[in-house]
Amino acid sequence: MRILVTGAAGFVASHLCERLLGLGHQVVGIDSIDPYYSTAFKRHTVAALEERGIDMRELDLAEGPLEALLEKAEVVFHLAGQPGIAAHVPFANYLRNNVLATHRLLDACSSASHLRAFIFISTSSVYGKIATGDETTAPTPTSNYGVTKLAAEQLVLAHHRELHFPACSLRLFSVYGERERPDKLYPRLIKAAAGLERLPLYQGSLDHQRSFTYVGDIVDACTTTMDKWEAAKGEIFNIGNDRTATTREGIRLVEKITGRTIPFDTLPPRPGDQQSTHANIAKAREILGYRPKTSLEKGLTRMVAWHQDQILGKVEY
């Protein structure tokens, strides 16, 4: 099948592109190479994907031409968007890159005659500070990121409800692994362990609880959703790990794997940060047969090895 993946230079999308290619699909990846984080890091990812034979296109969903790319697409995975809860990012960026870009993509999909599945990648941030319920839990987002991802998700599902558009949404929980965004916890821990920076640790975050989920398990859910499309269509699924760990436990694991003590600086609490996530994946287990299988220690061991081999001292981030 011909599959379009948005945000393909990013973390989860790049792994998804590689998996889909390995399954024999024709993959087109698009990304705007937005400078929210290191473009050198993104270019490194693009080069790796192109070397594998993935057709990468640099394009801004909010203003670039889309119809030709979608003409023969059978499946769209929409992962592109404005990430994070950094205070310096204007609300207009979240509105443009999460809501308006999604609206334009949906409009373009209306003329894609071969399209059979549109899989929107959402986030546990739509639930707010405490993300422990199932998919029927009322969303109460507390960040611009969560608010606009929820709006984008509802745009997608409104198309399904009113126009019978073939769509579903996957709400991801605390994904980590190789190519994770450099400003996230584990890349910064690995960088700090290498003596390249001190870890900025937000007050109270040591006890934050997360459903840390290895990227390979997330990609499993994405491809399974595509394979079980008739059951998945129109649904929302929590996708994560039903085992949790605190930030403190994550720090200790990275210290164990690297053999280094990590220095940190305590900063004031970060507005909009989630206090606890615990993925309730009963629905995904039942309908999709989703089974996350990678332990946090195993996933972090892979991640540390990748950084040491591919990134540290080689790519600026």
Side-chain angles (χ1 to χ4, degrees):
M1 288 191 295
R2 182 178 174 88
I3 301 176
L4 181 70
V5 179
T6 72
F11 170 36
V12 176
S14 62
H15 286 275
L16 177 59
C17 285
E18 290 175 328
R19 178 75 65 83
L20 292 169
L21 184 71
L23 292 172
H25 298 294
Q26 181 185 1
V27 183
V28 177
I30 63 176
D31 201 290
S32 67
I33 316 296
D34 184 271
Y36 174 75
Y37 65 88
S38 167
T39 56
F41 194 89
K42 292 182 179 182
R43 298 286 183 195
H44 180 269
T45 299
V46 169
L49 296 181
E50 289 180 333
E51 187 176 347
R52 294 283 302 275
I54 293 165
D55 182 4
M56 293 293 293
R57 314 283 185 90
E58 188 167 338
L59 181 72
D60 186 341
L61 289 177
E63 58 185 51
L66 301 174
E67 285 75 9
L69 284 173
L70 287 159
E71 186 177 356
K72 296 182 180 179
E74 296 174 68
V75 177
V76 172
F77 284 94
H78 180 32
L79 294 90
Q82 179 66 52
I85 59 173
H88 70 273
V89 179
F91 177 74
N93 290 36
Y94 292 101
L95 181 63
R96 180 186 189 277
N97 296 327
N98 292 340
V99 182
L100 297 180
T102 299
H103 188 268
R104 287 194 79 243
L105 181 61
L106 289 169
D107 276 354
C109 283
S110 65
S111 60
S113 58
H114 293 80
L115 187 69
R116 72 176 190 89
F118 185 102
I119 300 169
F120 178 73
I121 304 302
S122 187
T123 169
S124 67
S125 292
V126 303
Y127 292 118
K129 288 189 178 295
I130 307 296
T132 57
D134 64 15
E135 293 84 351
T136 66
T137 302
T140 54
T142 56
S143 64
N144 290 339
Y145 172 63
V147 166
T148 52
K149 286 294 285 186
L150 179 61
E153 178 186 81
Q154 287 303 305
L155 274 175
V156 172
L157 296 177
H159 272 62
H160 170 75
R161 290 189 290 265
E162 291 298 310
L163 304 173
H164 305 290
F165 182 70
C168 77
S169 180
L170 308 183
R171 292 174 174 172
L172 308 190
F173 282 69
S174 300
V175 191
Y176 73 96
E178 304 91 320
R179 301 195 189 118
E180 186 177 1
R181 211 170 74 225
D183 60 314
K184 298 289 283 182
L185 173 64
Y186 288 122
R188 301 202 79 159
L189 281 173
I190 294 167
K191 196 172 184 179
L196 299 176
E197 71 173 25
R198 293 176 65 85
L199 176 71
L201 195 63
Y202 298 99
Q203 188 177 0
S205 64
L206 280 174
D207 295 318
H208 285 178
Q209 187 181 59
R210 294 285 185 269
S211 288
F212 292 118
T213 313
Y214 183 62
V215 64
D217 291 332
I218 294 292
V219 170
D220 285 346
C222 291
T223 57
T224 298
T225 300
M226 183 176 67
D227 293 340
K228 298 190 175 182
W229 183 242
E230 287 307 310
K233 186 165 53 178
E235 300 291 341
I236 295 171
F237 296 98
N238 290 338
I239 303 297
N241 196 330
D242 51 4
R243 296 182 179 181
T244 64
T246 63
T247 301
R248 179 182 284 105
E249 290 169 330
I251 291 172
R252 287 174 178 169
L253 272 177
V254 174
E255 289 181 330
K256 174 184 175 183
I257 293 163
T258 61
R260 303 284 182 85
T261 299
I262 294 170
F264 63 87
D265 295 318
T266 301
L267 303 179
R270 183 169 55 169
D273 215 351
Q274 290 180 293
Q275 295 175 355
S276 177
T277 71
H278 189 173
N280 182 326
I281 57 173
K283 182 178 178 180
R285 284 184 185 276
E286 179 181 353
I287 296 177
L288 303 178
Y290 172 62
R291 300 285 189 278
K293 55 183 179 293
T294 308
S295 70
L296 183 57
E297 183 168 1
K298 180 183 289 187
L300 286 175
T301 298
R302 293 173 183 168
M303 188 176 177
V304 167
W306 179 81
H307 270 81
Q308 291 172 341
D309 179 58
Q310 297 283 326
I311 300 298
L312 296 177
K314 300 174 184 176
V315 178
E316 184 64 33
Y317 76 100

